[in-house]
Amino acid sequence: MAENKRYNAQLDGASFDTLAVRSGQVRSDEHEHGEAMFLTSSYVFGSAQEAAAIFAGDEPGNVYTRYTNPTVRNFEVRLAALEGAEQCVATSSGMAAIFSTILALLKPGDHIVSSRSIFGSTNVQFQKYVSKLGIEVDYVSLTDPDEWQQASKENTKMYFLESPSNPMNEVADLKVLSALAKKNGALMVVDNCFCSPALQKPLAFGVDVVIHSATKYIDGQGRCLGGAVLGRHELMEEVVGVLRSVGPTMSPFNAWVMLKGLETLSIRMKAHCANAMQLALWLKDQPNVTAVHYSGLPEHPQHELAKAQQSDFGGVLAFEVAGGQEAAWSVIDSTRVLSITANLGDTKTTITHPATTTHCRVPEESRLKAGITSGLLRIACGLEDIEDIKRDLSFGLSQL
Ligand SMILES: *Cc1c(COP(=O)(O)O)cnc(C)c1O
């Protein structure tokens, strides 16, 4: 028998695309090639003494899937490698990732400064549930560091933002805001859902914690909910504690789906971005389109920043049509292929009217201040042929 058997890949020095396909996998004694899915809620021990030692933490080992699961761990190790994080904690959804982070790292009396342009459910979570913990949130402009400084108080312990923003594609200067957070004694938390680690690695700019809705680009095919929190061991151990005692754990099945998603993340993101860029350029020349908001366009106010901070501009863009809500709705209703849904990060292109869907709970005045007019439409580009997407939109646009 040959010595030096190697069943698992050795990945020292491997680059992003290789890590995306291979990292985190520990093959079982069956030597399976693909990642095994461990659908089990608990684990057995070889003896009473081993059980006692593992429960006491004197020996490594699995106890219960709310605590650890090999498939979930595989996903966590792989995503951590891609984000350049010391540790990743997988959660049941993006919202669970955000709430677990706050529960783990803040206490009553603390204060959060958040960008105004955040995911709708994050906003509701802050106002309805984070407030119950005695934690207040103040909202500022994503792009104006002076506002962040002015909103920072003695008890400010967290800065929270998404970049690029939904749906306007505004981009925050992650380096500048991370330095400001540090100066003010706050942790910098970034929801990196729109870029994924394929396009942006916030930790490299001094960000403390990265959050994902893995439901979007990480799965990438609209199948499962999932989330993740990434950062230093010391912070992530606190998040692990919340998962153990509160329970918003990622299921092993979803972790397995997300693992497969990570394997094609990079190649999918390239295609999403290429479609979005072509669509943005095409939309600029269409009748009745009065504005296109995409950070890949040179005229976008943060185009240079996006270019420096991201490796590409993402798959989501917004555009305005003349004629307000009636015109916007008629463009949506005349499509035959695009999915009318607010989801994103799917292979299927989606179209939505933010003012009456994702942002319907935002008061009109703040909505308009954020640029979300009644004629604004958002497209999350999928992987269809771009010519078919253009044709689908051109019916409605030419009839306005
Ligand atoms: C979808 C989304 C979330 C919430 O994630 P779920 O997995 O749906 O809970 C959070 N942030 C952003 C930016 C999102 O797009």
Side-chain angles (χ1 to χ4, degrees), residues 93-95 98 119 122 162 191 193-194 213 215-216 225-226 344:
S93 68
M95 295 321 301
I98 295 169
F119 186 64
T122 308
E162 292 166 21
D191 180 336
C193 170
F194 269 54
S213 166
T215 314
K216 312 295 166 51
L225 292 183
L344 62 102

Side-chain angles (χ1 to χ4, degrees), residues 176-188:
V176 165
L177 289 178
S178 295
L180 207 57
K182 194 167 203 169
K183 192 187 96 181
N184 288 306
L187 288 169
M188 180 83 206

Side-chain angles (χ1 to χ4, degrees), residues 83-87 101 105 157-159 174 177-183 185-190 201-211 229-236 239:
E83 282 283 2
E86 282 182 14
Q87 192 174 338
T101 302
L105 303 178
K157 291 288 149 56
M158 186 179 284
Y159 280 13
L174 296 182
L177 289 178
S178 295
L180 207 57
K182 194 167 203 169
K183 192 187 96 181
L187 288 169
M188 180 83 206
V189 179
V190 170
K201 296 185 188 61
L203 298 171
F205 298 104
V207 167
D208 296 293
V209 176
V210 165
I211 285 183
V229 188
L230 300 105
R232 303 189 285 282
H233 288 310
E234 137 218 1
L235 300 176
M236 292 309 104
V239 181

